[in-house]
């Protein structure tokens, strides 16, 4: 696919706890045949190392991403198959590269998903700080009126963060707390992670089969 034909989803991973959410969203995008531009913040690399033991390195990002996406939410390695075709549709940009493609509104992109979004990330995007590529790409997404989904992962929420979330909503973003539901019949931690990831993809309009949808029948989840 030529660069002119390619219109990726930008996926930003911030420093909040919840790296399995990001992995599930990435797998869902690739399974749907989408292209991805990936921005992994400096803080999120520490969280990823703490939650999974995986060191995400710019020089070896493809190898590290394959290991990350293959890992289940329960920590089991090689839970998911990660093919070369999917990885071939991913482009990685260093978080400090403010000259990267997604820093410009003329760069073709479908929109941006921030998963998970820390409160610091929420504040930076709401205030338009653009202190790194993740925040800059989010600001560009808003100004270009493209879809921005912000999966906030924090509890409890302080007053300033709540105000900033309202500001994001007013600016056109979808503020989506990483809040799993249980009506889908979750029996495993991966089911809860996939529910949140599925809701992120729903907000982006990307088809998936990550969770059982509500069909108006009580007790459906208990029969899964």
């Amino acid at each position: 696919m030529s660069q002119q034909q390619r219109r990726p989803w930008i996926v930003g991973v911030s420093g909040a706890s919840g790296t399995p959410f990001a992995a599930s969203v990435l797998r869902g995008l690739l399974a749907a045949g989408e292209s991805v531009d990936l921005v992994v913040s400096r803080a999120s690399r520490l969280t990823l190392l703490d939650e999974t033991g995986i060191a995400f390195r710019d020089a070896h990002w493809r190898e590290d991403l394959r290991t990350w996406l293959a890992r289940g939410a329960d920590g089991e390695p090689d839970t998911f198959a990660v093919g070369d075709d999917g990885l071939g549709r991913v482009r990685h940009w260093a978080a400090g590269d403010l000259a990267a493609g997604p820093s410009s509104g003329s760069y073709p992109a479908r929109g941006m998903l921030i998963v998970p979004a820390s409160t610091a990330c929420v504040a930076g995007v709401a205030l338009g700080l653009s202190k790194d590529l993740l925040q800059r790409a989010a600001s560009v997404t808003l100004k270009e009126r493209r879809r921005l989904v912000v999966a906030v992962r924090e509890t409890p929420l302080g007053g300033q963060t709540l105000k900033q979330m309202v500001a994001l909503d007013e600016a056109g973003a979808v503020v989506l707390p990483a809040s799993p539901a249980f009506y889908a019949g979750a029996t495993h931690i991966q089911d809860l992670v996939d529910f949140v990831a599925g809701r992120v993809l729903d907000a982006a309009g990307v088809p998936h089969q990550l969770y059982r949808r509500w069909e108006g029948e009580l007790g459906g989840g208990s029969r899964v």
Side-chain angles (χ1 to χ4, degrees), residues 163-178:
K163 292 176 183 177
Q164 290 152 1
M165 289 164 63
V166 170
L168 288 177
D169 177 78
E170 292 176 342
V174 176
V175 179
L176 193 152

Side-chain angles (χ1 to χ4, degrees), residues 5 9 21 60 66 69 72 76 81 86 94 116 142 187-188:
Q5 294 173 317
W9 284 98
F21 294 131
H60 303 279
R66 184 190 297 273
L69 296 188
E76 286 296 317
L142 286 176
T187 59
H188 190 277

Side-chain angles (χ1 to χ4, degrees), residues 22 24-25 32 40 48 50 61 84-85 100 117 131 157 170 189 199 212 218:
S24 183
V25 166
V40 181
L48 181 64
D50 182 54
W61 70 267
D84 292 335
D85 175 65
K131 74 178 185 66
L157 293 167
E170 292 176 342
I189 186 174
R199 295 299 288 147
R212 186 189 72 87
L218 293 175

Side-chain angles (χ1 to χ4, degrees), residues 143-211:
K143 79 180 184 68
E144 296 295 325
R145 301 297 191 264
R146 297 169 182 158
R147 180 57 57 96
L148 174 63
V149 182
V150 183
V152 183
R153 216 309 305 161
E154 185 61 85
T155 191
L157 293 167
Q160 284 303 313
T161 300
L162 290 169
K163 292 176 183 177
Q164 290 152 1
M165 289 164 63
V166 170
L168 288 177
D169 177 78
E170 292 176 342
V174 176
V175 179
L176 193 152
S179 177
F182 294 85
Y183 64 77
T187 59
H188 190 277
I189 186 174
Q190 189 68 54
D191 298 327
L192 298 176
V193 167
D194 286 347
F195 180 88
V196 172
R199 295 299 288 147
V200 171
L201 295 178
D202 285 345
V206 176
H208 66 87
Q209 295 182 334
L210 288 176
Y211 67 87

Side-chain angles (χ1 to χ4, degrees), residues 39-113:
V39 182
V40 181
S41 76
R42 291 187 176 93
S44 70
R45 298 171 194 228
L46 297 176
T47 306
L48 181 64
L49 182 63
D50 182 54
E51 293 184 343
T52 69
I54 298 169
F56 193 91
R57 304 160 293 176
D58 286 337
H60 303 279
W61 70 267
R62 194 177 298 273
E63 172 188 345
D64 297 336
L65 179 61
R66 184 190 297 273
T67 302
W68 180 19
L69 296 188
R71 186 183 182 91
D74 59 358
E76 286 296 317
D78 301 320
T79 299
F80 299 97
V82 183
D84 292 335
D85 175 65
L87 287 179
R89 285 183 274 110
V90 180
R91 184 171 186 179
H92 168 258
W93 300 96
D97 184 3
L98 290 176
S103 68
S104 172
S106 66
Y107 183 78
R110 296 188 182 280
M112 183 173 184
L113 316 175

